[in-house]
Amino acid sequence: LEALFEQLKDLPLLTELKILYSEKTALPNNISLLRRLKVLDLNGNKLNELPEGLSGMPSLEFISLHNNPYVDLDNAAKVLSKLASLKKVKISGCKLVNLGENLAQLSQIEVLDLSHNSIETLPTNMETMIKLKVIDLAKNSNLNSRQIFSSLSSIPNLEELDLSDCNLSELGAEIGTMTRLKKLILTDNPIKKVQSEIGNLTLLEELYLGAGISQKEVSPLAELPTSLGNCKNLRKLDLRMCQLTLLPASFSQLGNLSYIDL
């Protein structure tokens, strides 16, 4: 790779590089030569630490560490935090359980993908992620939902949350703290009850509570709280394959609703 980066450094239009399933355990420091690179996809390697040189890539906007099960997240966050241009980070499928405290140093990013891991809790200092708008936690089946919502509610500009296929059986009162959300994805969860605090999400525009397109199992959700009528900005509501027998009369308040799947 060191020789390769030397060869690539002067290509004037090179903005995207993929090094996929190459069994790489490390990257050379001279990756910093790729100063025009905007997208770096390292899917399917065996990386442990990221080189310090990576922090010297002034144009990098997106990095994918998907399917790197040995990655040291504390190290990765420390290196990536120095990239002012970075907007999106994908650390999915890495068998992560504990995220450590350095993750919150990524105060410059807007999108964080932590899906397909084994995460139980989130760092308690995520209020420092002031630009984060989208977080994907899909397919983390061991989430402590109470702690998760408590931590996420401290992120000042979070607008979109994906918790699909996380084995959630209830949408508890804690959801009421997520008042800035505009899009909430809870597809493919065995949710039996949605607490009335969902009505606190007055900015919510899209809500997905049903089964996914490929899912064949019926969702056990049989009732919706009247307070959902408070979410007057709702435009899209997905209740596919739920066991609802009626909708609350308060649905008449959802004057912006343009799509509903029943």
Side-chain angles (χ1 to χ4, degrees):
L1 285 180
E2 194 167 1
L4 176 66
F5 295 159
E6 281 285 349
Q7 291 176 305
L8 297 179
K9 68 179 182 181
D10 295 322
L11 292 176
L13 301 179
L14 183 66
T15 59
E16 182 171 343
L17 176 63
K18 296 184 179 183
I19 304 173
L20 311 181
Y21 294 95
S22 299
E23 300 288 308
K24 298 300 179 187
T25 58
L27 297 174
N29 250 322
N30 73 336
I31 194 171
S32 60
L33 295 173
L34 307 179
R35 298 182 60 81
R36 300 176 185 86
L37 212 62
K38 293 183 178 181
V39 176
L40 179 59
D41 190 345
L42 300 167
N43 179 8
N45 286 287
K46 296 181 178 180
L47 297 174
N48 186 324
E49 294 191 345
L50 297 181
E52 192 63 34
L54 197 144
S55 63
M57 301 174 70
S59 303
L60 197 64
E61 297 178 359
F62 170 49
I63 185 170
S64 173
L65 295 169
H66 176 68
N67 198 16
N68 277 270
Y70 307 112
V71 68
D72 181 336
L73 188 55
D74 270 338
N75 159 266
K78 192 173 180 180
V79 172
L80 297 176
S81 67
K82 299 174 184 177
L83 288 165
S85 59
L86 195 63
K87 295 180 180 179
K88 181 177 180 180
V89 176
K90 184 171 185 176
I91 320 175
S92 52
C94 291
K95 300 183 179 180
L96 298 175
V97 177
N98 178 20
L99 299 179
E101 295 297 318
N102 281 351
L103 181 69
Q105 292 184 19
L106 298 175
S107 58
Q108 79 279 38
I109 69 170
E110 298 176 7
V111 180
L112 177 60
D113 185 345
L114 294 167
S115 62
H116 294 81
N117 283 297
S118 300
I119 298 166
E120 298 176 3
T121 59
L122 292 178
T124 56
N125 58 346
M126 295 190 74
E127 68 276 1
T128 59
M129 304 184 78
I130 56 176
K131 292 187 177 181
L132 191 63
K133 293 182 179 180
V134 178
I135 186 166
D136 188 345
L137 289 165
K139 293 185 181 293
N140 280 277
S141 58
N142 298 319
L143 290 178
N144 178 333
S145 60
R146 179 172 295 183
Q147 193 278 338
I148 292 292
F149 287 133
S150 174
S151 181
L152 292 177
S153 64
S154 69
I155 302 174
N157 293 300
L158 190 65
E159 296 181 356
E160 181 176 330
L161 173 60
D162 190 340
L163 290 170
S164 55
D165 200 5
C166 285
N167 198 34
L168 300 177
S169 59
E170 180 179 6
L171 196 57
E174 298 79 24
I175 188 60
T177 63
M178 306 289 296
T179 55
R180 302 174 192 87
L181 280 186
K182 293 183 179 180
K183 184 175 182 179
L184 178 57
I185 306 171
L186 292 157
T187 307
D188 290 340
N189 280 294
I191 294 175
K192 297 178 181 178
K193 186 174 180 62
V194 176
Q195 296 291 350
S196 61
E197 284 77 5
I198 187 79
N200 294 352
L201 277 58
T202 56
L203 299 179
L204 198 63
E205 297 178 1
E206 298 182 40
L207 177 59
Y208 300 80
L209 276 169
I213 297 299
S214 60
Q215 179 64 264
K216 296 182 179 179
E217 293 184 21
V218 174
S219 170
L221 186 64
E223 185 179 2
L224 291 171
T226 300
S227 63
L228 195 60
N230 297 336
C231 303
K232 296 179 181 179
N233 283 304
L234 263 183
R235 294 184 293 102
K236 188 168 185 176
L237 180 58
D238 191 331
L239 298 164
R240 181 180 181 272
M241 291 179 69
C242 293
Q243 299 193 57
L244 301 170
T245 56
L246 57 83
L247 297 177
S250 62
F251 261 53
S252 62
Q253 301 171 30
L254 301 179
N256 289 309
L257 201 63
S258 59
Y259 174 95
I260 185 168
D261 189 338
L262 292 167

